[in-house]
């Protein structure tokens, strides 16, 4: 599994989210209940950035229509979104936060290459 440094830990405050990119994939990096999470930054209902939404109690709320997504599982917890967002592993070493796209990232890059 390859890891990419995406931010310093201080850049992601409690109940905050920032948009980062790994290999061109936009990711919503969020902290809630003291934990860091990484999910796909694009809402599955429409093409808007989840990192611009509110983070609260392990969820991020899409600012456009209000669907919340569980940051641990990616599952929507309310309509209108019905499709989960991808989730990615994170790790922190010292002040550095890393995200891995794992197999899904490699699949996504392969799919893009075939278009
Ligand atoms: S665009 Fe996110 S819920 Fe509609």
């Amino acid at each position: 599994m390859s890891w990419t440094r995406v931010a310093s830990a201080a850049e992601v405050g409690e109940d905050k989210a920032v948009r980062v990119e790994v290999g061109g994939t936009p990711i919503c990096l969020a902290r809630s209940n003291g934990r860091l999470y990484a999910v796909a930054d694009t809402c599955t209902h429409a093409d808007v950035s989840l990192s611009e939404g509110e983070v609260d109690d392990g969820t991020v709320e899409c600012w456009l229509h209000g669907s919340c997504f569980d940051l641990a599982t990616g599952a929507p917890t309310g309509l209108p979104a019905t499709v989960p967002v991808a989730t990615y592993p994170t790790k922190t070493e010292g002040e550095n936060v890393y995200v891995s796209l794992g197999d899904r990232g490699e699949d996504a890059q392969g799919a893009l290459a075939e278009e």
Side-chain angles (χ1 to χ4, degrees), residues 50-112:
L50 290 177
S51 57
E52 296 175 18
E54 297 283 324
V55 176
D56 183 50
D57 197 21
T59 66
V60 60
E61 180 180 17
C62 178
W63 59 268
L64 189 55
H65 302 121
S67 281
C68 288
F69 293 87
D70 186 309
L71 289 165
T73 66
T77 59
L79 295 172
T82 57
V83 176
V85 289
T87 61
Y88 305 104
T90 68
K91 69 175 182 178
T92 303
E93 289 182 356
E95 279 302 303
N96 297 310
V97 178
Y98 297 82
V99 171
S100 175
L101 296 193
D103 294 340
R104 278 171 294 189
E106 288 160 19
D107 288 349
Q109 288 171 359
L112 286 175

